[in-house]
Amino acid sequence: AQKVTQTQTSISVMEKTTVTMDCVYETQDSSYFLFWYKQTASGEIVFLIRQDSYKKENATVGHYSLNFQKPKSSIGLIITATQIEDSAVYFCAMREGRSNYQLIWGSGTKLIIKP
Amino acid sequence: EAAVTQSPRNKVAVTGGKVTLSCNQTNNHNNMYWYRQDTGHGLRLIHYSYGAGSTEKGDIPDGYKASRPSQENFSLILELATPSQTSVYFCASGEQGGWDAEQFFGPGTRLTVL
């Protein structure tokens, strides 16, 4: 069965440091995409970054990057040089090739950036 | 300018009443989705649509109906609202044909059923 698990409920770090949020997934498919979304305090949900299961290179967008460890079914989100405005809830999601474009979501990790 | 909008943003309903949540998108996306978000559950898919006239059941469709009268509009209908349907509801749109495509979300509707 498909499943996405985020075990870290909440993380608190100092501003300007690097933080990693964990996500593990379960799938029977060899082809899938992994996504990270951010939900701000206002409730807005925005897409951040994605990883193709066939690509070995870790995706990077701005100060977001991924640590894709396929043998461990793990896709960590790394935020470098964190800023106060990075405080939010971060969701990991997966789409399998046979899922008709549906996303399977994790339960989210709340990130608190302290000044 | 917001590409996915939802109305109303807040709604208080009575148990047994009918509630309609509306979503409009200007992305010209074929796919649209309705989710609910509850603490500890992340986002759960209720219904989705591949285009005008189509609706499909998601993971938790019981107690909900959906309607897609046009490319731009997708509604979620609670015929007989119950307190367990108190939640925040999000609409999203996405491109069809690319399963690497991200989804674009509306601002959410907070529904309270008393």
Side-chain angles (χ1 to χ4, degrees):
Chain A
Q2 319 95 308
K3 189 176 180 180
V4 175
T5 303
Q6 296 177 255
T7 57
Q8 301 159 304
T9 304
S10 181
I11 300 175
S12 181
V13 300
M14 297 299 294
E15 189 180 13
K16 301 179 183 176
T17 62
T18 295
V19 63
T20 299
M21 284 171 275
D22 301 328
C23 175
V24 293
Y25 55 90
E26 297 175 24
T27 180
Q28 303 300 316
D29 276 3
S30 57
S31 299
Y32 49 90
F33 270 87
L34 299 160
F35 302 81
W36 280 91
Y37 286 79
K38 172 184 179 181
Q39 184 173 32
T40 63
S42 66
E44 181 186 20
I45 301 173
V46 294
F47 163 75
L48 292 178
I49 191 170
R50 85 192 97 213
Q51 178 75 38
D52 180 347
S53 64
Y54 280 117
K55 290 189 176 178
K56 294 183 178 179
E57 304 80 26
N58 291 316
T60 298
V61 176
H63 75 143
Y64 302 107
S65 61
L66 297 177
N67 180 18
F68 181 42
Q69 299 185 57
K70 194 169 184 179
K72 295 184 178 180
S73 296
S74 171
I75 183 77
L77 173 68
I78 303 166
I79 307 177
T80 57
T82 52
Q83 304 163 7
I84 298 297
E85 51 265 36
D86 291 324
S87 297
V89 178
Y90 291 82
F91 290 98
C92 177
M94 175 177 68
R95 177 181 292 131
E96 298 172 313
R98 57 186 168 87
S99 72
N100 295 324
Y101 310 117
Q102 293 181 54
L103 285 172
I104 302 159
W105 295 82
S107 56
T109 296
K110 183 175 184 178
L111 176 64
I112 301 166
I113 307 297
K114 297 182 290 186
Chain B
E1 199 169 318
V4 182
T5 56
Q6 295 181 230
S7 63
R9 293 294 312 279
N10 291 281
K11 173 75 177 177
V12 178
V14 296
T15 297
K18 182 178 181 178
V19 177
T20 299
L21 307 182
S22 300
C23 178
N24 177 276
Q25 56 105 355
T26 58
N27 295 321
N28 197 31
H29 289 158
N30 286 332
N31 295 351
M32 294 186 75
Y33 309 83
W34 274 108
Y35 294 94
R36 65 178 282 175
Q37 183 177 35
D38 303 289
T39 304
H41 283 97
L43 291 165
R44 293 186 288 175
L45 183 65
I46 306 170
H47 284 286
Y48 60 102
S49 168
Y50 293 126
S54 93
T55 61
E56 305 288 339
K57 293 181 179 179
D59 299 323
I60 53 165
D62 293 346
Y64 302 94
K65 292 183 180 179
S67 173
R68 182 87 182 271
S70 66
Q71 176 85 337
E72 298 80 18
N73 295 295
F74 190 36
S75 297
L76 185 68
I77 303 153
L78 291 67
E79 294 278 5
L80 294 169
T82 68
S84 64
Q85 293 175 313
T86 293
S87 187
V88 180
Y89 292 85
F90 286 94
C91 175
S93 73
E95 290 183 0
Q96 191 176 60
W99 56 294
D100 62 335
E102 69 267 33
Q103 294 181 6
F104 297 83
F105 285 82
T109 295
R110 183 173 297 276
L111 173 66
T112 303
V113 182
L114 302 175

